[in-house]
Amino acid sequence: MSLSKPDIISPKGLGPGFWQFTIAMTVANVVIALYILFGNLDWVLPSGNDPIADTTLEVDRIFKFMAVFGSAITLYVTGYVVYFAYVFRRRPGEAPGTIGVQIHDAPKLELWWTIIPTLLLIVLIVISLIEWYRMQFPSTAPAVTLETIGHQFVWEYRYPGLQTSTFSPEPLHLPVGKQIRILITSADVLHSFWLPNFRLKLDAVPGLIQTINFTPSKTGTFSIICAEFCGVNHSVMQGTVVVESPEAYQSYLAAQKAKPAAAAGGPALAGGDAAAGKVLFSQKCSACHSLGGFDQKIVGPGLGHLTDDAQHTTLVDGDPVSPPNIAKILANGFSGPLGVMPNRQANGLSDSDIANLVAYLTSLK
């Protein structure tokens, strides 16, 4: 018994209207490319028509390069898939076993769809490395170097010459027209420090300090966003950066320097409730500190024997162990070889919270 061969549709060129369809897609690509290159893209590239830093235009050029060729590849590939699927579909009345056009191997086509994307990627790598190198190694030394530390779920800012940090939602202040260097890290999990208007984004990684360099060119208030999912309250980890005149920036620093004197003395510790402090410790502190000895570290040292550890008679800042000195670290935070201890603002501690924590920590033996 012989099996009948299925009907095979013979190719009829590239299909009716192929070249007209190709010309239409080409015209559409030209229109899209012109819009990307010369149109108003502020809705996706904020401040693109009015750059606010020396990094804005350079990064936009990379984005536009990718957008022009990426949109063309997307349109041609999608367009031809839809076109050929329609033109060479099975027609009504054809036998169910009919086989469509059989085309195998197209060496010339395969060669070019390999060469062209490869060349585009090489160009993208080169221009990206040039811009990355310029950001990492600017030609001039920074006039201002700041530190930014990610916490769940606030940004901590450390300014030169200040003994205390500020925290979002308080703005980050920068002087206009000055070369800025920001050192970025994290105290807990991965964050991503994103300045959309400046076209700058860098991951904040625990144990790693990363650097960005730029010069703001216009004053104003702009967004800071955490672009890395960092926990349940990731969506609230936002802030602002204020670019202002150098005089206003120096006035801001002077005002910050005056704050510690006004806050001298620390919170009152009388009446601290150890039971309330135990609950607070489990909520605020247990992720980084154990209740074991000093060497039983999680992130920071163990805090279970602060007052009776013969091998560690001082706190991490070198001060003797005492309720006021414990309260000082809880209030002001600490930065040293053991890591970063966020201050009261980052941890959301009130005066009574500090008193309760001190009462609990000093009760442990």
Side-chain angles (χ1 to χ4, degrees), residues 257-289:
K257 287 180 181 179
K259 282 187 176 180
L269 301 181
D273 184 345
K278 180 178 180 180
V279 174
L280 196 60
F281 184 92
S282 67
Q283 296 172 340
K284 301 279 189 178
C285 311
S286 59
C288 296
H289 300 281

Side-chain angles (χ1 to χ4, degrees), residues 153-155 157 167-172 193-197 221-226 234-242:
F153 298 92
V154 295
W155 293 110
Y157 310 124
F167 292 81
S168 60
E170 182 168 332
L172 170 65
F193 186 70
W194 184 25
L195 301 173
N197 296 79
T221 300
F222 310 99
S223 296
I224 298 174
I225 299 172
C226 179
H234 161 71
S235 61
V236 304
M237 194 169 171
Q238 303 184 34
T240 54
V241 53
V242 174

Side-chain angles (χ1 to χ4, degrees), residues 327-345:
K328 181 182 69 173
I329 293 179
L330 291 172
N332 299 330
F334 172 77
S335 177
L338 293 177
V340 177
M341 164 74 176
N343 70 6
R344 63 184 300 168
Q345 188 172 357

Side-chain angles (χ1 to χ4, degrees), residues 32-263:
I32 293 171
L34 290 174
Y35 175 70
I36 292 172
L37 295 174
F38 305 108
N40 187 343
L41 295 179
D42 276 0
W43 59 278
V44 66
L45 296 174
S47 304
N49 287 336
D50 188 20
I52 63 168
D54 60 341
T55 51
T56 306
L57 286 179
E58 297 299 327
V59 175
D60 282 0
R61 291 190 184 104
I62 298 174
F63 175 87
K64 291 180 179 181
F65 174 84
M66 292 190 295
V68 166
F69 289 100
S71 62
I73 292 171
T74 300
L75 185 57
Y76 279 120
V77 170
T78 304
Y80 282 135
V81 167
V82 172
Y83 171 81
F84 288 124
Y86 177 78
V87 168
F88 294 102
R89 71 194 184 280
R90 187 169 73 87
R91 300 298 199 274
E94 292 177 342
T98 301
I99 297 177
V101 176
Q102 299 297 292
I103 300 176
H104 297 282
D105 300 324
K108 291 182 180 179
L109 182 61
E110 293 168 3
L111 177 67
W112 286 110
W113 77 36
T114 301
I115 290 177
I116 292 176
T118 300
L119 292 176
L120 292 175
L121 284 174
I122 291 173
V123 173
L124 179 60
I125 290 170
V126 171
I127 61 178
S128 297
L129 284 176
I130 291 172
E131 180 57 18
W132 172 85
Y133 187 87
R134 192 180 70 82
M135 289 183 185
Q136 293 296 311
F137 306 101
S139 58
T140 58
V144 177
T145 299
L146 307 100
E147 296 177 58
T148 294
I149 302 169
H151 299 273
Q152 291 177 308
F153 298 92
V154 295
W155 293 110
E156 177 184 359
Y157 310 124
R158 296 180 177 177
Y159 296 90
L162 296 187
Q163 299 301 312
T164 58
S165 303
T166 63
F167 292 81
S168 60
E170 182 168 332
L172 170 65
H173 288 253
L174 301 175
V176 70
K178 302 292 185 180
Q179 179 75 34
I180 305 296
R181 173 170 293 168
I182 300 182
L183 308 178
I184 300 171
T185 190
S186 170
D188 38 50
V189 301
L190 286 176
H191 302 277
S192 187
F193 186 70
W194 184 25
L195 301 173
N197 296 79
F198 297 79
R199 308 294 190 268
L200 296 170
K201 181 174 16 176
L202 203 62
D203 284 349
V205 182
L208 175 67
I209 298 176
Q210 303 212 75
T211 305
I212 53 175
N213 299 275
F214 62 100
T215 301
S217 55
K218 293 187 181 297
T219 59
T221 300
F222 310 99
S223 296
I224 298 174
I225 299 172
C226 179
E228 180 85 27
F229 181 74
C230 54
V232 293
N233 289 328
H234 161 71
S235 61
V236 304
M237 194 169 171
Q238 303 184 34
T240 54
V241 53
V242 174
V243 180
E244 56 199 357
S245 68
E247 295 76 18
Y249 172 74
Q250 291 300 327
S251 297
Y252 172 77
L253 292 185
Q256 293 300 310
K257 287 180 181 179
K259 282 187 176 180

